[in-house]
Amino acid sequence: MPRANRSYLEGYRECRESLQELSRGVQRNVGKRALQATAQTAVRVLKREAPVSADPYNKTPGSLRDSVNEGKSRSERGRPRHAIFIDDVAAAPVEFGTSRMEARPWVRAAIDAARPVLARVMGRALKEEVDKAAQRAARKAARAKG
Amino acid sequence: MDLAEALTRRMSDDAGVSALVGNRVHWVQRDQGGGLPALVMRQTSRIDEETLEEDVLGEARIRFECFGTSHEQSWALAHAVDAALAEPSEVDGFELFGSEERLGPIDLGERAAEGDYRHRAVLELTIRHTV
């Protein structure tokens, strides 16, 4: 059975402990915002690595790069999910090739090379969001007492 | 021996894969008119990392394109490849660790210029290996 690929995040246990002191709704929002920050970085990486056609007959060079965008955040089985779309008509043929065109895979290569960066962005965003949520919760508790 | 050679040998030696493709195992390009079903592999990314013992291990993402005469055949080949690489193996001292992250199989069949339908299932596996 293939195992999930691993990235290493330090301080995750402490972050998780702080998060578990907050309400479920707040936890989901923290996860959603951290994912969003990571997705935005991934979009920048993909735009940078996207191949741009040098064909002089191509009337829309750069359309593949320009089509890379983040989708909306949503929840799936209680877990936040953030998608990245590449919806240019050339996306699948370039990535996977066709019977008339050899594949020029770039999406997976770009994301794999950027994994350490994406892990750092995720870790930093999680910490920031957990800290902000904990401060808001503390202020709210203080107002309720006072 | 490099990763391409090791994987080509591994696929050719695997009973499940060779029962379907025989020696039609190719790296990057398959021979036109070489017959179906056929397996074409390519490396889409690779990262080499040093271990604590100062060995170098590679982590490569390999795309397996499984061509067949029917949808069922191309998918059977993809599943045979997946099963062949699920567990660690060795090819003349070159170690292939059990496959990790998996993408697919994805159905990428299409009608070709000649009018016939080309059945193709694409599977991507991340494989750690010795360098």
Side-chain angles (χ1 to χ4, degrees):
Chain A
M1 173 73 114
R3 290 167 290 140
N5 209 345
R6 292 183 300 271
S7 291
Y8 294 95
L9 218 54
E10 288 181 4
Y12 181 73
R13 187 186 305 154
E14 290 80 1
C15 179
R16 191 180 167 129
E17 283 168 4
S18 299
L19 202 56
Q20 284 173 338
E21 290 171 10
L22 304 168
S23 71
R24 277 271 171 93
V26 171
Q27 289 180 34
R28 270 200 297 273
N29 282 335
V30 164
K32 196 167 84 172
R33 282 196 273 270
L35 263 185
Q36 192 172 15
T38 313
Q40 285 165 358
T41 303
V43 165
R44 283 198 290 275
V45 166
L46 288 169
K47 281 184 181 289
R48 191 183 63 218
E49 300 299 323
V52 177
S53 172
D55 183 348
Y57 295 104
N58 186 333
K59 291 179 184 169
T60 56
S63 59
L64 182 59
R65 175 198 57 209
D66 297 339
S67 75
V68 178
N69 280 301
E70 56 172 312
K72 288 187 181 169
S73 290
R74 57 188 180 96
S75 210
E76 199 166 282
R77 291 181 198 165
R79 293 180 180 183
R81 192 179 167 101
H82 208 93
I84 295 172
F85 294 99
I86 307 172
D87 56 7
D88 188 82
V89 67
V94 168
E95 182 70 12
F96 295 105
T98 68
S99 58
R100 291 161 222 156
M101 185 174 95
E102 194 159 317
R104 283 187 295 162
W106 61 279
V107 176
R108 307 299 281 174
I111 294 297
D112 285 347
R115 257 183 220 269
V117 169
L118 294 176
R120 279 199 300 274
V121 167
M122 178 78 171
R124 203 162 47 227
L126 260 179
K127 183 188 180 315
E128 282 172 11
E129 293 299 328
V130 167
D131 286 347
K132 279 194 271 190
Q135 284 163 16
R136 277 195 297 268
R139 281 197 299 270
K140 193 173 171 184
R143 277 198 302 271
K145 269 190 187 172
Chain B
M1 177 172 295
D2 62 13
L3 179 61
E5 286 174 65
L7 277 174
T8 303
R9 282 265 305 272
R10 180 74 190 92
M11 292 294 100
S12 301
D13 292 347
D14 182 77
V17 174
S18 60
L20 288 165
V21 301
N23 61 354
R24 291 185 297 274
V25 178
H26 310 281
W27 191 260
V28 180
Q29 272 189 335
R30 72 182 176 104
D31 300 330
Q32 293 298 327
L36 294 174
L39 175 64
V40 179
M41 303 177 285
R42 78 163 64 225
Q43 178 178 295
T44 56
S45 71
R46 176 164 154 180
I47 300 168
D48 288 349
E49 287 178 332
E50 209 170 83
T51 68
L52 290 173
E53 285 85 39
E54 296 181 356
D55 293 324
V56 178
L57 283 184
E59 183 179 294
R61 184 181 298 278
I62 306 295
R63 181 172 291 170
F64 299 87
E65 303 198 40
C66 307
F67 293 88
T69 56
S70 67
H71 170 79
E72 290 75 20
Q73 194 176 62
S74 62
W75 275 67
L77 178 55
H79 288 307
V81 168
D82 197 8
L85 292 170
E87 299 300 326
S89 59
E90 187 190 309
V91 180
D92 282 354
F94 193 101
E95 291 184 71
L96 297 167
F97 298 94
S99 59
E100 299 190 356
E101 193 175 320
R102 182 212 286 127
L103 171 70
I106 305 169
D107 193 345
L108 288 174
E110 60 171 309
R111 194 158 298 281
E114 297 78 17
D116 57 323
Y117 194 89
R118 307 254 170 108
H119 296 275
R120 175 170 67 132
V122 175
L123 172 71
E124 279 190 3
L125 297 172
T126 301
I127 299 170
R128 286 186 182 241
H129 56 92
T130 49
V131 172

